[in-house]
Amino acid sequence: MKLFITAGEPSGDALGATLIDGLKTLSPEVELKGVAGPKMQGAGMASLFPMEELSVMGIAEVLPKYRHLLRRINETADAAVSWQPDALITIDSPDFSLRVAKRVRAASRIPTIHYVAPTVWAWRPERARKMAAHIDHVLALFPFEPPYMEAAGMTCDFVGHPVAGTTLVSDREQADFRREHDVAEDARLLAVLPGSRRSEIERLLPVFGDAIRRSTLIGARLVLPTLPHLVGSVQKLSKALPTQPIIIAGEGRSAEEADIERRTAMAAADFALAASGTISLDLAAARTPMVIAYDMNWLSRQIIQRKLLIDTVTLVNLVSETRAVPEFIGRDCTPDAIAAGLDALVAETGPQIAAMETTMARLGEGGDPPGHRAAQSVLAFLGA
């Protein structure tokens, strides 16, 4: 069996790695090609070009790089059609993935699978219908998503979120992390997570720094998990923080070792201040109480705010059907507002812990690994 798989950003790379592990377990003879990040490459897949070239978010952020992205889209689609795989599997990154799928579908009869249902329940519901024109099957991360995809004419399976399959960090591992980085047992440790893209870090880290200065956590130790290619930006911009953070980037480690180190850092933290995104699920898996804050380019913000169908963008809130995690988005992403959110969190964490437990149970914690379930869905769809 031959599968052409593409990912365009770190979260998709993580999904792809777990999918590859599941595929190799269930179908050891599988051959793989496509666009991969470090985790997928660590799972045994080569990449046509560095995935980091595609890690762009926001309408205004994409425009300056559009011609280069278009070239990569065409290159990827041509490679898939030339190889004639049993299926094309695109992972998240719709600006890249769905354009590749559209070109592949126009030039061939290769079955197409998309991993991560579009958030049509949050904004732009018309995306499901448009996607159905060139996607056959969808792998959904959340249990409430299949009906939206099926109504648009695609088949869809809920396969769970990979975060539900992560191994919990033990108390001893957390204590060892603190000891290794000279964090006293009774010291407060705050995880600062300004995003996985350079543009996000540049926009958010100064705001985060001002917020921490205005909060009761001003004296806390800071830990900043990031990615190796972002270390330079993080080191430069971390001067905006009240104290020099412990930067965890996994340099010199394998992708798996780096991921374990970052998860350990988040679990060892008492609290977290994080950008909006899937990181809220990582923190939920670690049972680390959080405040979410996010802002973007003015043009992107104006367009998205007018299309939102929900009153929260934090995944823990959505899955648990609570509003336990405070969030400060767009115009509300200010130092004073975030500082007040941090102070309220320090005073009371109980409701958040309960929401995290509900979230992880609903995402499949304790059940079959999501990557295995995703692989089963792929093989069942192709067999059918």
Side-chain angles (χ1 to χ4, degrees), residues 37-297:
K39 291 184 179 179
M40 291 169 67
Q41 292 177 54
M45 180 177 153
S47 186
L48 291 174
F49 52 81
M51 184 198 72
E52 289 76 18
E53 293 183 19
L54 307 175
S55 295
V56 182
M57 183 177 184
I59 297 165
E61 289 83 355
V62 169
L63 290 176
K65 298 185 177 181
Y66 179 74
R67 293 182 68 180
H68 178 72
L69 289 173
L70 184 60
R71 190 161 54 248
R72 289 305 197 191
I73 288 166
N74 290 333
E75 177 185 347
T76 304
D78 290 345
V81 172
S82 175
W83 194 45
Q84 285 294 299
D86 292 285
L88 166 70
I89 303 175
T90 54
I91 305 176
D92 212 354
S93 303
D95 287 332
F96 173 75
S97 295
L98 298 183
R99 285 175 169 83
V100 170
K102 183 176 181 179
R103 284 162 172 75
V104 169
R105 173 52 53 84
S108 73
R109 297 179 62 84
I110 297 169
T112 53
I113 301 169
H114 190 63
Y115 196 170
V116 182
T119 54
V120 296
W121 37 268
W123 74 307
R124 292 175 57 200
E126 72 278 4
R127 287 176 294 165
R129 176 180 52 80
K130 292 179 179 179
M131 193 172 86
H134 41 269
I135 293 293
D136 301 309
H137 184 63
V138 180
L139 308 176
L141 303 187
F142 301 108
F144 50 78
E145 292 179 319
Y148 291 94
M149 301 298 101
E150 291 164 356
M154 297 169 283
T155 58
C156 182
D157 289 330
F158 164 59
V159 298
H161 197 289
V163 73
T166 56
T167 303
L168 295 178
V169 179
S170 68
D171 291 343
R172 179 175 179 177
E173 289 169 324
Q174 295 177 41
D176 288 345
F177 177 89
R178 282 177 166 257
R179 192 177 307 109
E180 179 183 350
H181 295 283
D182 297 319
V183 180
E185 186 176 344
D186 59 348
R188 286 175 170 171
L189 182 62
L190 173 66
V192 180
L193 300 142
S196 59
R197 300 175 181 86
R198 191 170 285 104
S199 60
E200 291 175 327
I201 296 168
E202 291 172 350
R203 184 176 296 112
L204 294 177
L205 202 53
V207 178
F208 284 10
D210 285 345
I212 296 167
R213 285 189 182 88
R214 302 178 195 194
S215 77
T216 56
L217 290 172
I218 186 171
R221 293 291 305 276
L222 307 178
V223 60
L224 202 163
T226 190
L227 299 168
H229 70 281
L230 295 173
V231 169
S233 297
V234 166
Q235 289 175 334
K236 178 181 178 181
L237 292 166
S238 64
K239 297 174 183 177
L241 297 173
T243 60
Q244 180 62 32
I246 303 163
I247 297 175
I248 303 298
E251 293 178 291
R253 300 175 183 265
S254 68
E256 181 179 1
E257 290 170 339
D259 183 62
I260 291 172
E261 185 179 32
R262 283 190 287 270
R263 289 195 294 107
T264 302
M266 286 188 279
D270 299 292
F271 310 100
L273 172 56
S276 176
T278 56
I279 193 65
S280 70
L281 297 182
D282 294 320
L283 291 167
R287 304 318 195 258
T288 301
M290 71 194 87
V291 168
I292 297 296
Y294 196 79
D295 200 4
M296 60 189 72
N297 177 279

